């Protein structure tokens, strides 16, 4: 049996307590995100072009060869020879050793050597200097749309036009040139919109002053990439960001940018329907990375949701088919995402809101036509437009919150290129995954065959060629290694690892938990799957699950559990946010507690008929926060499946029961634990989750710190806090660390002498911020625990950052080292060729890629007092990935960090009313000040709802698993 491991990249979707992995994403698109490293003195290696067209065909299998460019021999370039890499590491010995941003101590050697291709393409460093300019706009404007349009007009102006082939800009305030521009350079630009033929007589004239800022020398970057010890502190960002502007300029003009460095081309044939009004479009990511002796361009495929172009009336009619009686409208997040072009005047405007009245019934005062007039009559008189849906469809607002401008929907054309800014629903997410999950060969071919021309990289488009930049069209060939899995142990039975997973049908947990009593609650939600206590299916489920717990080694009391009265929920249309239903469930729990002669149960098994956005998180809040009772959920549809599937499902749930109640499911052999047990060590996982699309503005972010409590590294209780919305660095890390250390001390009668922190969810640009803001709090926690009895407590500390949002992908070069989809196999590790020059980092794929293209985790050691070595941290992180308690497989992220993520997700259940906002968008709006006041009110309300957070009786357990 094997339960699913980690799902889509940080989608924050399905409830983590149902037997599945992390939920799917929404809103952010599906791809990968930032990745490895580079350098530039020409090209090395011989990647190999792709074969035919590789369009998304996710979830439908893949016929034919599965290895990209398998017939082209892969050859690792001489820059990556062992002698050259050793020379680099030896050069570091002349530098002062410090714990912050430690230098790479060496390269890993353990494992079977393999050769891989990577989606990094060699790039020539420009020969001459790069000139960096600041553009000042007068009169000032903060509106990005106007700034972007001014830069378009700037390029058309006679003073700027001659320089266009060798300049690039960010459409805001920075301009890069391959040649020195005349100074001073002040260019007057009369403003007009792109739907206008030219500036009107009263057009605002802006002055764009292009002022020289600095000269950037590419030779310094070359010295850095050569690993010159004197270049260790060279800041690569100014030049790399300048070159990225050059590299992305063509894509910025030809496509639509969504997020950082991700470009989509609405004319692309690669479009897939996600549901009413939404389509997925495939695009490409491109970003420059410095690696040892080679500048690289990291290019990847990505996919995101766009609004389907077309007439707004048609879109409203499409949505109206699914509603009854009320005036047609669109979901709020769809409205927020739409810009339209009006058919009567040709203006391009942002859609502000959908009205609640038709053109026939919407009136306003108009002096031109003698006072009060309907929108229908106005458009007939003014523009000779007879409306087709005058009484059937609402008017829409193209104005502002203060000055609405009502226009008939049928006179608005949704343009192409409107990225969807909201969260996809479950069905749309499933469709997105289906289209985005392509085999590695298909993605590699899409990058080479479609990505390069779409991005203007090859053949090189202006201004890339104006800077003398060339990008090799062959993927990099790099050395990698495949690590062997660790041996696993159970109390009874054997576990044989195959492709990163194993079966536990005939094993007993290492340490079975003891159940004092347990309750069962059936939540009846309109489907009547279980008829009553005597229902044979129900009795079979309870008895079967009880038998599975016993067979797994959990001590279950004799007899049947206590059956609570069923919770019959009102229908959702009479209880839309399920408040009445949750009050009913709360009442049942409270009554049972007052009547119980043996106190609280070890857990309540909750049987659900449906999944929705309210019941699951609501029950978690009641159990975890209000009453201090563990709850375990089962979906009845899955739990009542055929016998074989039911047994697997029960096994998955048994893993959770044992873990929540303090048991240990499986352990690693002593050899695999040696790197952790040689000294008293506490492993810590830290993560922060932020409110996603559709949340109420001002909703707090949630921070979690989990930490091991003994030498088995299985139990990781958690501390949770809320903090300022969308703030990544933890505000209360000191107190959270103190809590975790005290729990460790209580269990072991001694504090740990080593602490290894795995910090999830931090971008590369924030590594130093972690050292400036979070490291001091960890050190303060140690100081706080320094007392007369404990003396001066100063354990050795290491901090490793785990990155999943990168765009590095590794491709097997022959089928011997690939799985049946063509993915690299579990245990694949890369620390050469595309990693940092000075940084101590590596990419590790501990898990199997079940669908689509597998994605490794990028680990970077940013602080180290433990003198960690490459093999120790790589092999140790890999082995520990097999200790995840909720699945019988290795997971893609080390469990400590994964648990911190799950704990954050559980915290979201406690603030669910602030995170779920399903209402449609209709007329009405607020100014900036009232928005800020509202955000403050929401934060205070959320703080009140959070209260003291977790119930004291849950704080020493893995309640979140």
């Amino acid at each position: 049996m094997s339960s699913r491991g980690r799902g889509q990249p940080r989608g924050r979707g399905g409830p983590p307590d149902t037997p599945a992995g992390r939920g799917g994403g929404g809103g952010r698109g599906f791809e990968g995100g930032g990745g490895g490293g580079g350098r530039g003195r020409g090209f090395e290696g011989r990647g190999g072009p792709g074969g035919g067209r590789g369009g998304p065909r996710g979830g439908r299998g893949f016929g034919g060869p599965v290895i990209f460019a398998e017939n082209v021999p892969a050859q690792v370039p001489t820059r990556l020879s062992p002698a050259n890499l050793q020379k680099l590491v030896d050069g570091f010995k002349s530098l002062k050793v410090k714990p912050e941003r430690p230098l790479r101590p060496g390269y890993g050697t353990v494992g079977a050597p393999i050769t891989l291709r990577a989606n990094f393409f060699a790039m020539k460093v420009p020969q001459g200097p790069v000139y960096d300019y600041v553009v000042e706009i007068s009169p000032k404007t903060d509106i990005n749309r106007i700034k972007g349009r001014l830069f378009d007009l700037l390029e058309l102006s006679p003073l700027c036009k001659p320089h266009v082939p060798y300049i690039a800009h960010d459409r805001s305030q920075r301009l890069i040139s391959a040649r020195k521009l005349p100074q001073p350079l002040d260019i007057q630009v009369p403003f007009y919109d792109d739907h206008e033929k030219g500036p009107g007589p009263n057009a605002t004239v802006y002055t764009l002053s292009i002022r020289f800022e600095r000269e950037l020398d590419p030779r310094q970057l070359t010295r850095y990439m050569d690993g010159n010890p004197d270049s260790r502190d060279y800041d690569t960002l100014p030049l790399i960001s300048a070159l990225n502007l050059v590299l992305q300029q063509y894509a910025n003009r030809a496509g639509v940018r969504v997020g950082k460095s991700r470009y989509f081309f609405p004319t692309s044939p690669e479009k897939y329907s996600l549901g009413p009004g939404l389509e997925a479009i495939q695009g490409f990511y491109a970003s420059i990375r410095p690696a040892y002796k080679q500048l690289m361009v990291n290019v990847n495929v990505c996919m995101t949701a766009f609004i389907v172009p077309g007439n707004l009336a048609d879109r409203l009619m499409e949505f109206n088919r699914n509603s009854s009686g009320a005036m047609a409208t669109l979901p709020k997040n769809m409205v927020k995402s739409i810009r339209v072009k009006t058919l009567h005047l040709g203006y391009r405007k942002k859609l502000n809101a959908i009205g609640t009245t038709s053109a026939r019934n919407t009136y306003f005062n108009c002096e031109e036509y003698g006072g009060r007039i309907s929108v229908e009559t106005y458009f007939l008189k003014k523009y000779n437009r007879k409306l087709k849906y005058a009484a059937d469809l609402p008017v829409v607002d193209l104005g502002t919150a203060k000055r609405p401008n009502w226009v008939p929907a049928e006179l608005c054309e949704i343009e192409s290129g409107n990225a969807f800014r909201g969260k996809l629903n479950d069905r749309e997410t499933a469709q997105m995954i289906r289209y985005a999950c392509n085999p590695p060969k298909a993605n590699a071919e899409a990058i080479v065959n479609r990505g390069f021309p779409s991005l203007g990289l090859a053949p090189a488009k202006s201004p890339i060629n104006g800077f003398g930049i060339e990008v090799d069209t062959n993927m990099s060939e790099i050395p990698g290694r495949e690590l062997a899995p660790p041996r696993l142990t159970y109390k009874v039975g054997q576990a044989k690892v195959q492709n990163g997973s194993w079966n536990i049908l005939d094993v007993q947990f290492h340490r079975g938990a003891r159940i004092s009593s347990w309750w069962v609650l059936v939540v009846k939600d309109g489907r009547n799957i279980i008829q009553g206590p005597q229902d044979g299916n129900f009795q079979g489920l309870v008895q079967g699950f009880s038998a599975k717990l016993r067979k797994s080694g959990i001590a279950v009391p004799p007899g049947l559990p206590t059956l609570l009265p069923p919770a019959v929920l009102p229908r959702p249309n009479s209880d839309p946010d399920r408040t009445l239903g949750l009050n009913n469930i709360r009442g049942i729990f409270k009554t049972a507690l007052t009547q119980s002669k043996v106190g609280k149960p070890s857990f309540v098994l909750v049987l659900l008929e449906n999944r929705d956005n309210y019941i699951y998180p609501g029950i978690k809040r009641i159990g975890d926060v209000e009453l201090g009772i563990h709850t375990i959920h089962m979906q009845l549809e899955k739990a009542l499946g055929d016998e074989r599937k039911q047994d697997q499902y029960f096994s998955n749930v048994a893993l959770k029961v044992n873990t929540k109640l303090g048991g240990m499911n499986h352990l690693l052999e002593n050899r695999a634990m040696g790197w952790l047990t040689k000294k008293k060590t506490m492993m810590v996982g830290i993560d922060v989750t932020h409110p996603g699309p559709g949340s109420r503005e001002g909703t707090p972010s949630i921070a979690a710190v989990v930490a091991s409590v003994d030498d088995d590294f299985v139990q990781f209780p958690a501390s949770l806090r809320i903090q300022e919305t969308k703030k990544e660095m933890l505000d209360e890390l000191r107190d959270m660390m103190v809590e975790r250390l005290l729990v460790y001390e209580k269990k072991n009668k001694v504090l740990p002498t080593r602490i290894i922190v795995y910090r999830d969810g931090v971008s590369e640009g924030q590594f130093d911020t972690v050292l400036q803001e979070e490291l001091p709090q960890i050190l303060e926690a140690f100081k706080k625990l320094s007392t007369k009895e404990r003396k001066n407590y100063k354990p050795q500390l290491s901090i490793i950052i785990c990155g999943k949002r990168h765009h590095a992908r590794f491709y097997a070069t022959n089928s011997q080292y690939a799985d049946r989809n063509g993915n690299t196999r579990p245990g694949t590790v890369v620390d050469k060729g595309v990693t940092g020059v000075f940084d101590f980092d590596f990419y590790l794929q501990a898990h199997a890629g079940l669908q689509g293209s597998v994605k490794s985790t990028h680990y970077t050691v940013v602080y180290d007092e433990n003198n960690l070595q490459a093999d120790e941290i790589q092999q140790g992180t890999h082995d520990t990935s097999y200790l995840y308690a909720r699945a019988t497989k290795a997971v893609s992220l080390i469990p400590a960090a994964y648990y911190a993520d799950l704990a954050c997700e559980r915290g979201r259940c406690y603030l669910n009313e602030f995170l779920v906002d399903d209402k449609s968008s209709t007329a009405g709006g607020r100014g900036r000040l009232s928005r800020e006041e509202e955000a403050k009110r929401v934060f205070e309300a959320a703080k009140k709802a959070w209260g003291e957070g977790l119930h004291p009786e849950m704080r020493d357990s893995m309640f979140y698993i």
Side-chain angles (χ1 to χ4, degrees):
M1 164 239 117
S2 80
S3 79
R4 276 173 60 201
R6 201 170 167 90
Q8 275 306 114
R10 296 194 75 87
R12 309 283 191 201
D17 198 44
T18 49
R22 259 163 105 163
R28 287 197 194 131
F30 289 68
E31 78 276 328
R39 138 136 195 168
R41 51 163 74 103
F43 306 130
E44 300 176 282
R46 300 177 22 228
R53 229 170 110 94
R57 44 169 74 77
R60 292 170 225 157
F62 188 72
V66 295
I67 305 298
F68 172 67
E70 186 165 20
N71 298 324
V72 181
Q75 199 173 345
V76 174
T78 52
R79 72 182 176 95
L80 301 179
S81 69
N84 272 340
L85 294 171
Q86 191 54 51
K87 193 175 157 193
L88 171 69
V89 173
D90 289 344
F92 295 163
K93 287 173 184 165
S94 63
L95 292 168
K96 187 183 170 197
V97 176
K98 53 181 184 176
E100 297 87 357
R101 300 304 293 264
L103 294 158
R104 188 184 298 282
Y107 290 91
T109 58
V110 174
I114 54 175
T115 301
L116 302 166
R117 286 193 170 90
N119 60 342
F120 289 76
F121 299 83
M123 168 181 163
K124 278 185 180 171
V125 178
Q127 291 297 305
V130 172
Y131 301 97
D132 200 351
Y133 295 84
V134 172
V135 182
E136 290 168 354
I137 300 172
S138 176
K140 279 190 172 167
T141 177
D142 292 329
I143 302 167
N144 289 332
R145 186 184 64 79
I146 290 177
K147 281 199 237 180
R149 177 64 183 158
L150 284 171
F151 274 85
D152 292 341
L153 295 171
L154 174 71
E155 291 184 5
L156 298 172
S157 70
L159 279 173
C160 185
K161 215 169 187 176
H163 306 298
V164 167
Y166 49 82
I167 63 168
H169 52 75
D170 64 358
R171 297 170 64 83
S172 176
Q173 60 185 30
R174 190 180 185 194
L175 187 143
I176 306 299
S177 177
R179 300 183 198 171
K180 240 182 181 164
L181 301 177
Q183 290 286 286
L185 185 54
D186 299 322
I187 300 175
Q188 293 199 322
V189 177
F191 185 84
Y192 61 97
D193 258 318
D194 54 358
H195 63 268
E196 297 171 320
K197 291 190 171 73
N202 299 318
T204 305
V205 178
Y206 290 89
T207 301
L208 276 69
S209 302
I210 301 169
R211 186 168 50 76
F212 178 71
E213 173 87 353
R214 59 188 165 179
E215 195 176 292
L216 300 168
D217 184 0
R219 289 173 303 182
Q220 290 181 302
L221 178 62
T222 301
R223 283 198 291 274
Y224 173 86
M225 293 188 298
D226 284 343
N228 186 320
D230 297 340
S231 299
R232 178 191 183 177
D233 295 324
Y234 168 69
D235 183 6
T236 62
L237 186 62
L239 182 55
I240 294 292
S241 60
L243 294 177
N244 267 326
L245 285 180
V246 177
L247 190 84
Q248 297 170 12
Q249 191 74 59
Y250 174 81
N252 228 334
R253 290 177 186 143
V256 177
R257 195 183 82 185
V258 181
K260 202 175 172 187
S261 307
R262 296 161 68 235
Y263 294 91
F264 297 86
F265 305 90
T267 54
S268 159
E270 305 298 326
K271 292 181 183 178
Y272 310 91
S273 174
L274 296 176
L278 285 180
E279 61 188 5
I281 296 183
Q282 189 185 67
F284 298 93
Y285 165 95
S287 184
I288 295 168
R289 315 269 311 173
Y292 178 50
K293 287 189 179 291
Q294 183 66 63
L295 195 61
M296 296 282 196
V297 183
N298 179 203
V299 184
N300 195 26
V301 289
C302 46
M303 197 170 269
T304 201
F306 280 80
I307 306 293
V308 176
N311 191 275
L312 183 55
D314 295 338
R315 190 70 62 248
L316 282 163
M317 300 285 273
E318 189 179 2
F319 273 83
N320 201 34
R321 287 185 208 117
N322 304 320
S323 63
S324 50
M327 189 61 79
T329 190
L330 295 178
K332 184 157 75 174
N333 285 324
M334 188 171 278
V335 172
K336 277 186 188 169
S337 308
I338 292 176
R339 285 185 74 82
V340 298
K341 183 177 181 179
T342 59
L343 297 178
H344 60 298
L345 292 173
Y347 286 177
R348 286 186 170 86
K349 294 280 186 182
K350 189 175 181 306
L351 183 59
N352 187 40
I354 309 285
T356 54
T357 52
S358 68
R360 188 165 292 168
N361 294 326
T362 305
Y363 291 85
F364 67 103
N365 283 317
C366 175
E367 284 181 28
E368 187 181 347
Y369 294 112
R372 195 165 182 263
I373 189 171
S374 73
V375 170
E376 178 189 19
T377 308
Y378 174 80
F379 273 86
L380 182 63
K381 287 185 173 181
K382 179 83 174 171
Y383 302 108
N384 197 26
R385 293 274 183 171
K386 186 165 172 54
L387 302 180
K388 190 176 172 186
Y389 303 113
D392 307 320
L393 290 178
V395 287
V396 300
D397 178 15
L398 302 184
T400 61
K402 287 180 182 169
R403 291 191 62 189
N405 177 14
W406 297 109
V407 177
E410 62 196 85
L411 298 184
C412 298
E413 199 71 22
I414 301 170
E415 296 200 291
S416 65
N418 284 304
F420 179 57
R421 307 286 176 186
K423 183 181 178 189
L424 299 176
N425 65 30
D426 287 350
R427 190 177 301 163
E428 291 158 352
T429 299
Q431 284 291 87
M432 177 67 93
I433 292 170
R434 181 167 165 256
Y435 297 133
C437 283
N438 299 308
K441 183 174 189 277
N443 280 345
E445 288 172 354
I447 289 167
V448 174
N449 298 341
R450 289 200 304 280
F452 266 65
S454 297
L455 294 165
L457 301 181
K461 294 278 180 29
S462 171
I464 292 172
N465 43 16
F467 280 78
I469 289 171
E470 289 176 50
V471 182
D472 192 354
T473 54
N474 294 320
M475 282 197 183
S476 296
E477 287 141 351
I478 57 166
R481 287 167 292 120
E482 204 177 87
L483 304 176
R487 276 190 61 246
L488 310 171
T489 66
Y490 283 87
K491 183 178 179 183
V492 173
Q494 291 288 312
K496 192 181 176 200
V497 176
Q498 280 187 309
N499 198 32
S501 65
W502 62 96
N503 201 295
I504 61 162
L505 288 177
D506 299 307
V507 300
Q508 271 192 20
F509 297 144
H510 234 289
R511 185 177 72 215
R514 182 166 294 281
I515 295 172
S516 57
S517 65
W518 57 300
W519 299 348
V520 178
L521 172 70
V522 178
V523 177
K524 297 181 86 64
D525 198 6
R527 294 178 63 188
N528 220 20
I529 294 175
I530 286 173
Q531 307 301 318
Q534 304 310 313
D535 185 313
N537 280 337
F538 172 66
Q539 291 195 335
L541 186 157
V542 173
Q543 288 164 6
F545 183 55
S546 182
K548 170 57 73 175
L549 294 176
R550 281 196 189 88
K551 192 181 172 191
S552 301
I554 296 172
V556 185
L560 291 171
T562 301
L563 179 59
L564 301 180
V568 182
L569 306 186
R571 294 185 69 81
N573 55 6
S574 62
D575 183 22
D577 58 3
R578 314 310 298 266
T579 305
L580 298 174
L582 288 168
N583 284 342
N584 182 2
I585 292 166
R586 184 183 285 108
I588 291 168
F589 280 169
K590 284 186 170 177
T591 303
L593 282 172
T594 55
Q595 291 174 354
S596 172
K597 294 187 174 110
V598 291
K600 289 181 181 177
S602 297
F603 70 95
V604 181
L605 177 64
V606 180
L607 302 176
L608 299 173
E609 289 190 334
N610 293 316
R611 285 183 65 169
D612 80 354
N613 291 331
Y614 299 97
I615 295 299
Y616 171 87
I619 293 173
K620 285 298 173 194
R621 181 185 162 86
I622 292 166
D624 294 355
V625 175
E626 297 175 26
L627 304 177
I629 301 174
H630 287 295
T631 53
I632 293 276
H633 288 69
M634 283 189 192
Q635 291 289 336
L636 278 168
E637 261 186 346
K638 291 182 181 176
L640 295 173
D642 69 58
E643 205 173 307
R644 191 184 59 80
K645 282 185 180 170
Q646 187 186 61
D647 189 70
Q648 181 172 319
Y649 190 78
F650 287 169
S651 293
N652 287 348
V653 181
L655 293 170
K656 292 183 188 177
V657 172
N658 198 46
T659 307
K660 276 182 196 278
L661 303 185
M664 289 192 303
N665 297 342
H666 65 277
L667 295 177
L668 302 185
E669 61 180 334
N670 290 338
R671 179 201 61 78
M673 297 299 293
W675 75 291
L676 292 173
T677 54
K678 61 185 180 185
K679 287 183 181 173
K680 280 301 237 186
T681 303
M682 182 170 90
M683 188 182 282
V684 178
I686 301 176
D687 194 16
V688 178
T689 182
H690 306 293
S695 304
R696 288 165 65 186
E697 218 170 315
T699 300
S701 293
I702 298 167
V705 176
V706 304
S708 59
V709 294
D710 55 29
D711 290 346
D712 294 314
F713 298 89
V714 168
Q715 282 290 319
F716 281 79
S719 296
L720 285 178
R721 296 286 192 282
I722 56 169
Q723 61 183 41
E724 182 188 327
T725 186
K726 297 191 178 158
K727 184 172 186 232
E728 181 56 48
M729 299 301 131
L730 278 77
D731 283 340
E732 297 182 45
L733 179 55
R734 185 197 69 174
D735 294 345
M736 296 164 91
M737 280 297 291
V738 168
E739 283 173 20
R740 294 299 99 224
L741 285 161
L742 290 174
V743 168
Y744 186 99
E745 185 183 47
K746 184 173 147 193
K747 181 107 194 263
N748 298 275
K749 309 292 181 264
V750 65
L751 285 167
T753 56
R754 290 196 316 165
I755 291 177
I756 299 176
V757 174
Y758 282 90
R759 174 67 161 96
D760 191 19
V762 174
S763 67
E764 289 180 351
Q766 294 175 307
F767 285 5
D768 288 335
T769 316
V770 168
L771 298 179
Q772 290 153 13
E773 295 185 23
E774 293 188 347
L775 171 64
Q777 291 190 67
I778 296 172
L779 299 178
E780 275 177 41
F782 301 159
K783 254 188 218 163
K784 204 170 176 193
L785 291 175
S786 297
T787 59
K788 198 189 282 182
E789 295 78 31
R790 297 191 191 100
K791 307 213 167 78
N792 181 23
Y793 180 56
K794 181 122 187 28
Q796 291 169 309
L797 172 69
S798 295
I799 302 174
I800 299 135
I801 290 177
C802 326
K804 284 290 285 181
R805 293 189 218 172
H806 60 79
H807 282 266
R809 299 291 183 275
F810 303 109
Y811 300 94
T813 53
N814 64 56
S815 43
Q816 185 189 346
Y817 289 103
D819 68 12
R820 59 191 175 83
N821 297 321
N823 275 314
T824 45
R825 299 192 303 196
T828 299
V829 65
V830 170
D831 64 356
K832 299 167 186 166
V834 295
T835 48
V837 181
F838 294 90
D839 287 344
F840 185 8
D841 69 329
F842 60 95
Y843 292 90
L844 171 66
Q845 177 214 326
H847 66 301
L850 297 182
Q851 59 174 342
S853 293
V854 72
K855 181 177 179 181
S856 56
T857 298
H858 187 200
Y859 292 96
T860 307
V861 183
V862 296
Y863 189 84
D864 184 29
E865 295 175 338
N866 286 300
N867 193 27
L868 294 170
Q869 297 303 299
D871 278 328
E872 177 184 30
I873 192 68
Q874 290 172 20
Q875 179 86 53
T877 301
H878 168 255
D879 290 348
T880 309
S881 298
Y882 281 77
L883 265 182
Y884 182 62
R886 211 175 78 174
T888 56
K889 58 175 59 190
V891 284
S892 63
L893 180 64
I894 192 162
Y898 201 151
Y899 292 150
D901 176 72
L902 289 180
C904 283
E905 287 300 304
R906 179 55 57 80
R908 289 166 71 87
C909 292
Y910 312 154
L911 295 178
N912 190 57
E913 65 193 279
F914 300 91
L915 292 159
V916 176
D917 190 356
D918 292 335
K919 297 170 188 68
S920 296
S921 181
T922 49
R926 299 190 302 268
R928 176 185 273 182
L929 189 64
S930 67
R931 267 211 317 272
E932 284 172 10
E933 287 166 0
E934 176 64 15
K936 208 177 275 184
R937 277 197 293 272
V938 167
F939 184 85
E940 289 306 318
K943 199 171 164 186
K944 192 177 172 189
W946 182 269
E948 294 299 309
L950 204 58
H951 192 283
E953 289 178 37
M954 306 291 277
R955 289 177 188 173
D956 286 355
S957 71
M958 289 176 75
F959 62 92
Y960 54 82
I961 202 76

